[in-house]
Amino acid sequence: MPANEKLKEKISHLPHKPGIYKFFDDSGIIYVGKAVDIRKRVSSYFNRSAQHNKKTLKLVSQIKDIEFTIVDTEADAFLLENNLIKQYQPKYNILLKDGKTYPYICIVNERFPRIISTRNKINDGSRYFGPYPSVTTMNVVLDLIRTLYPLRTCTYNLSPENVAAGKFKVCLEYHIGNCKGPCEDLVDETSYNQNITQIRNILSGNLSVAKNYFKEQMAAAAQDYQYELAHQFKQKLDMLEDFQVKSTVVSNTLTNIDVFTITSNEQCAFINYLKVMNGSIILTQSLEIQKKLDEEDTDILASIVIQLRQEFESTSREVITNIELSLPLDSITVTHPQIGDKRKLLNLSLKNAMYLRKEREGRQEQNKGLAEQRELRVLETMKKDLRLTELPRQIECFDNSNFQGDNPVASMVCFKNGKPSKKDYRHFNIKTVVGPNDFESMYEIVTRRYKRLLDEDKPLPQLIIIDGGKGQLGMAVKALKDLDIYGKIAVVGIAKRLEEIFYPGDNLPLYIDKKSESLKLIQRLRNEAHRFAITFHRSKRDAGTLKTALTDIKGIGPSTAKALLSKFRSVKKLKELTKEELSEEIGQAKATILFEHFHNS
């Protein structure tokens, strides 16, 4: 059974249930999708009446197998799809992970805990906060904590026995006031842990506990006329409030919220994520997502919401978005506010997403402009080097190819504005020349090419390059004269050995500086024409060899040989097929003939 028939058969047996489906090519999983109805969703890919875009059509053309997994609910399908995408990273799914890890702030599980930064979470009882989208953001928080609270930085094992035995001595950190000296039992564990509790609240986004503590201590110190100590607490309170302002206070009435906004163009989606805790934005992340199958914004954002919430370990039960979004998760409420503080928050996020889009699109336009400037500079250089009268915006290059006179072919490649225009490439079978005659072949293909352009009233190139010496150039000139267009198009030849440029009627070649951009462009044209001709010649030669090898077998006709040729390209590959695989292509009777010929001869 042919592959497409196998897929149709498999699709017809898919269940009408929620779940995920996986598409495979020969190398593995290429796409994972979710569906409320697996059979209906998968069938839609193969519906010829559906208006699929080019990327989806390319995906479908590569599908060799389909697998599915049934789940209980749409929510389960949503989460399973997300996990499989992260696990397999299929090339046709949008991917978020780029391999990097984000930093955390860790309160180490030990007596007199240290506060450290790390990228590796381990299950040792320590408390981890984050992850933070950048090291700079994390260091701002760490610097604040270390300024507010004197904490130890040493890695000593400060067990009661070790401290009592006097194994450790205070270091410079103690003498400059950055540590209270727990290694010599100079601070009690209870007061040290009170600081750790306040740090935990700050890292959780709840600054009120620490602020109230500093206010109380400041008032108590002032009551006891300890004005210097009160001033120290005042400085710490100011520092904390300054940090809260820089963290962007949204509203005291807003608690824990995730904000996601999206804007997109044809190629990319631009997403911003704000994580709000206790009225403050504690995390912001902007992303550019490359589209794979022209996905809708709702599909992209739904996937990214789950991935980013997992990435940054969000427990918020409310998600705010700028588009109507359905997340089949009972634990999450999605809202699209129109007024109030939440709308202001949404606008702030959307402003960040739009800024990223504008910046990236501006950079693309700048790069495009730079590329166009470079192309123009190269063409201007070529015009000067070759002494042309006009800018060579369209250049065509010709090359011949034959093997001992067999299968003579030729090629023409076209560059527009210095770049390959592959839709304008042409292959030529030599029709009027017998034997290996490159000169006459060149005359034929140049005549055919420009006669057709004239007949179809299409624009002529500004420059023709002939891959060869004076002989081939002379025949190209003759063809142009016979068409009465010689002088309307500049024509030169390039000799392979010394990269000499020949002009019609000039015995002395032109040598262009080897580092010149114009020579490099000419070489690109020549090499591309040669590659294009050789590839065509090889395919014709192989086709002839294979077709002859097959049609010499009794019972295998030209149509069967042609079908096998178009798919397998070589006898070697045919010999590797089993009889069953051959039967799927040409039927059991012919497969038996071919299999026995290969394996009994």
mmCIF file of all heavy atoms in Angstrom, residues 485-504:
data_model
loop_
_atom_site.group_PDB
_atom_site.id
_atom_site.type_symbol
_atom_site.label_atom_id
_atom_site.label_comp_id
_atom_site.label_asym_id
_atom_site.label_seq_id
_atom_site.Cartn_x
_atom_site.Cartn_y
_atom_site.Cartn_z
ATOM 1 N N ILE A 485 20.582 42.333 -31.981
ATOM 2 C CA ILE A 485 20.590 42.998 -30.674
ATOM 3 C C ILE A 485 22.024 43.193 -30.168
ATOM 4 O O ILE A 485 22.226 43.586 -29.012
ATOM 5 C CB ILE A 485 19.768 42.214 -29.622
ATOM 6 C CG1 ILE A 485 20.269 40.764 -29.492
ATOM 7 C CG2 ILE A 485 18.289 42.272 -29.924
ATOM 8 C CD1 ILE A 485 19.598 39.997 -28.360
ATOM 9 N N TYR A 486 23.012 42.901 -31.012
ATOM 10 C CA TYR A 486 24.398 43.130 -30.608
ATOM 11 C C TYR A 486 24.631 44.631 -30.439
ATOM 12 O O TYR A 486 24.247 45.431 -31.290
ATOM 13 C CB TYR A 486 25.364 42.556 -31.642
ATOM 14 C CG TYR A 486 26.829 42.726 -31.259
ATOM 15 C CD1 TYR A 486 27.333 42.106 -30.122
ATOM 16 C CD2 TYR A 486 27.681 43.517 -32.012
ATOM 17 C CE1 TYR A 486 28.665 42.261 -29.767
ATOM 18 C CE2 TYR A 486 29.022 43.674 -31.666
ATOM 19 C CZ TYR A 486 29.508 43.047 -30.529
ATOM 20 O OH TYR A 486 30.827 43.203 -30.167
ATOM 21 N N GLY A 487 25.227 44.998 -29.348
ATOM 22 C CA GLY A 487 25.407 46.407 -29.020
ATOM 23 C C GLY A 487 24.368 46.919 -28.052
ATOM 24 O O GLY A 487 24.577 47.939 -27.381
ATOM 25 N N LYS A 488 23.247 46.207 -27.970
ATOM 26 C CA LYS A 488 22.216 46.583 -26.996
ATOM 27 C C LYS A 488 22.478 45.943 -25.628
ATOM 28 O O LYS A 488 21.925 46.375 -24.618
ATOM 29 C CB LYS A 488 20.828 46.168 -27.499
ATOM 30 C CG LYS A 488 20.408 46.874 -28.780
ATOM 31 C CD LYS A 488 19.026 46.405 -29.221
ATOM 32 C CE LYS A 488 18.614 47.094 -30.525
ATOM 33 N NZ LYS A 488 17.275 46.626 -30.981
ATOM 34 N N ILE A 489 23.276 44.861 -25.643
ATOM 35 C CA ILE A 489 23.620 44.145 -24.414
ATOM 36 C C ILE A 489 25.136 44.006 -24.356
ATOM 37 O O ILE A 489 25.762 43.606 -25.351
ATOM 38 C CB ILE A 489 22.991 42.726 -24.372
ATOM 39 C CG1 ILE A 489 21.503 42.761 -24.732
ATOM 40 C CG2 ILE A 489 23.199 42.084 -23.003
ATOM 41 C CD1 ILE A 489 20.884 41.377 -24.876
ATOM 42 N N ALA A 490 25.738 44.322 -23.235
ATOM 43 C CA ALA A 490 27.169 44.087 -23.060
ATOM 44 C C ALA A 490 27.403 42.591 -22.896
ATOM 45 O O ALA A 490 26.624 41.906 -22.221
ATOM 46 C CB ALA A 490 27.691 44.831 -21.835
ATOM 47 N N VAL A 491 28.470 42.068 -23.516
ATOM 48 C CA VAL A 491 28.772 40.646 -23.435
ATOM 49 C C VAL A 491 30.268 40.466 -23.245
ATOM 50 O O VAL A 491 31.075 41.124 -23.913
ATOM 51 C CB VAL A 491 28.266 39.881 -24.685
ATOM 52 C CG1 VAL A 491 28.835 40.466 -25.965
ATOM 53 C CG2 VAL A 491 28.578 38.395 -24.588
ATOM 54 N N VAL A 492 30.646 39.597 -22.281
ATOM 55 C CA VAL A 492 32.053 39.301 -22.017
ATOM 56 C C VAL A 492 32.198 37.804 -21.801
ATOM 57 O O VAL A 492 31.224 37.104 -21.508
ATOM 58 C CB VAL A 492 32.587 40.049 -20.779
ATOM 59 C CG1 VAL A 492 32.533 41.554 -20.972
ATOM 60 C CG2 VAL A 492 31.835 39.633 -19.510
ATOM 61 N N GLY A 493 33.428 37.313 -21.964
ATOM 62 C CA GLY A 493 33.732 35.927 -21.665
ATOM 63 C C GLY A 493 34.724 35.858 -20.522
ATOM 64 O O GLY A 493 35.539 36.762 -20.351
ATOM 65 N N ILE A 494 34.662 34.792 -19.732
ATOM 66 C CA ILE A 494 35.613 34.613 -18.647
ATOM 67 C C ILE A 494 36.304 33.268 -18.831
ATOM 68 O O ILE A 494 35.649 32.220 -18.910
ATOM 69 C CB ILE A 494 34.959 34.712 -17.256
ATOM 70 C CG1 ILE A 494 36.004 34.460 -16.157
ATOM 71 C CG2 ILE A 494 33.761 33.800 -17.107
ATOM 72 C CD1 ILE A 494 35.527 34.784 -14.765
ATOM 73 N N ALA A 495 37.638 33.303 -18.963
ATOM 74 C CA ALA A 495 38.433 32.082 -19.116
ATOM 75 C C ALA A 495 38.743 31.526 -17.731
ATOM 76 O O ALA A 495 39.097 32.274 -16.809
ATOM 77 C CB ALA A 495 39.724 32.382 -19.868
ATOM 78 N N LYS A 496 38.629 30.203 -17.578
ATOM 79 C CA LYS A 496 38.684 29.591 -16.251
ATOM 80 C C LYS A 496 40.057 29.678 -15.600
ATOM 81 O O LYS A 496 40.167 29.922 -14.407
ATOM 82 C CB LYS A 496 38.269 28.118 -16.356
ATOM 83 C CG LYS A 496 36.792 27.899 -16.676
ATOM 84 C CD LYS A 496 36.459 26.427 -16.702
ATOM 85 C CE LYS A 496 34.972 26.192 -16.902
ATOM 86 N NZ LYS A 496 34.509 26.657 -18.215
ATOM 87 N N ARG A 497 41.130 29.506 -16.372
ATOM 88 C CA ARG A 497 42.436 29.296 -15.756
ATOM 89 C C ARG A 497 42.964 30.542 -15.044
ATOM 90 O O ARG A 497 43.314 30.511 -13.875
ATOM 91 C CB ARG A 497 43.451 28.823 -16.800
ATOM 92 C CG ARG A 497 44.735 28.315 -16.178
ATOM 93 C CD ARG A 497 45.703 27.822 -17.218
ATOM 94 N NE ARG A 497 46.046 28.861 -18.178
ATOM 95 C CZ ARG A 497 47.117 28.811 -18.976
ATOM 96 N NH1 ARG A 497 47.903 27.773 -18.930
ATOM 97 N NH2 ARG A 497 47.366 29.782 -19.809
ATOM 98 N N LEU A 498 42.997 31.663 -15.724
ATOM 99 C CA LEU A 498 43.588 32.880 -15.160
ATOM 100 C C LEU A 498 42.542 33.939 -14.832
ATOM 101 O O LEU A 498 42.889 35.069 -14.512
ATOM 102 C CB LEU A 498 44.626 33.453 -16.130
ATOM 103 C CG LEU A 498 45.822 32.547 -16.438
ATOM 104 C CD1 LEU A 498 46.714 33.183 -17.492
ATOM 105 C CD2 LEU A 498 46.626 32.275 -15.168
ATOM 106 N N GLU A 499 41.281 33.566 -14.903
ATOM 107 C CA GLU A 499 40.190 34.509 -14.649
ATOM 108 C C GLU A 499 40.339 35.750 -15.530
ATOM 109 O O GLU A 499 40.229 36.885 -15.087
ATOM 110 C CB GLU A 499 40.140 34.921 -13.161
ATOM 111 C CG GLU A 499 40.081 33.754 -12.177
ATOM 112 C CD GLU A 499 38.771 32.972 -12.252
ATOM 113 O OE1 GLU A 499 38.339 32.656 -13.380
ATOM 114 O OE2 GLU A 499 38.194 32.671 -11.213
ATOM 115 N N GLU A 500 40.594 35.492 -16.815
ATOM 116 C CA GLU A 500 40.733 36.585 -17.779
ATOM 117 C C GLU A 500 39.356 36.955 -18.320
ATOM 118 O O GLU A 500 38.536 36.097 -18.622
ATOM 119 C CB GLU A 500 41.626 36.154 -18.948
ATOM 120 C CG GLU A 500 43.040 35.753 -18.510
ATOM 121 C CD GLU A 500 43.794 35.043 -19.620
ATOM 122 O OE1 GLU A 500 43.186 34.194 -20.297
ATOM 123 O OE2 GLU A 500 44.985 35.340 -19.805
ATOM 124 N N ILE A 501 39.131 38.253 -18.449
ATOM 125 C CA ILE A 501 37.872 38.754 -19.006
ATOM 126 C C ILE A 501 38.139 39.184 -20.453
ATOM 127 O O ILE A 501 39.007 40.019 -20.719
ATOM 128 C CB ILE A 501 37.337 39.949 -18.206
ATOM 129 C CG1 ILE A 501 37.212 39.594 -16.719
ATOM 130 C CG2 ILE A 501 36.001 40.417 -18.774
ATOM 131 C CD1 ILE A 501 36.226 38.514 -16.406
ATOM 132 N N PHE A 502 37.407 38.570 -21.402
ATOM 133 C CA PHE A 502 37.571 38.881 -22.825
ATOM 134 C C PHE A 502 36.404 39.729 -23.317
ATOM 135 O O PHE A 502 35.246 39.509 -22.944
ATOM 136 C CB PHE A 502 37.648 37.591 -23.647
ATOM 137 C CG PHE A 502 38.941 36.842 -23.470
ATOM 138 C CD1 PHE A 502 39.031 35.796 -22.562
ATOM 139 C CD2 PHE A 502 40.073 37.199 -24.191
ATOM 140 C CE1 PHE A 502 40.218 35.101 -22.388
ATOM 141 C CE2 PHE A 502 41.270 36.517 -24.029
ATOM 142 C CZ PHE A 502 41.353 35.472 -23.122
ATOM 143 N N TYR A 503 36.759 40.687 -24.197
ATOM 144 C CA TYR A 503 35.762 41.517 -24.855
ATOM 145 C C TYR A 503 35.712 41.142 -26.328
ATOM 146 O O TYR A 503 36.746 40.754 -26.923
ATOM 147 C CB TYR A 503 36.112 43.003 -24.737
ATOM 148 C CG TYR A 503 35.906 43.576 -23.359
ATOM 149 C CD1 TYR A 503 36.909 43.488 -22.403
ATOM 150 C CD2 TYR A 503 34.709 44.194 -23.018
ATOM 151 C CE1 TYR A 503 36.731 44.015 -21.127
ATOM 152 C CE2 TYR A 503 34.515 44.728 -21.751
ATOM 153 C CZ TYR A 503 35.527 44.635 -20.817
ATOM 154 O OH TYR A 503 35.337 45.139 -19.559
ATOM 155 N N PRO A 504 34.540 41.256 -26.960
ATOM 156 C CA PRO A 504 34.460 40.977 -28.399
ATOM 157 C C PRO A 504 35.410 41.892 -29.181
ATOM 158 O O PRO A 504 35.450 43.109 -28.960
ATOM 159 C CB PRO A 504 32.998 41.280 -28.741
ATOM 160 C CG PRO A 504 32.260 41.144 -27.450
ATOM 161 C CD PRO A 504 33.219 41.581 -26.397
#
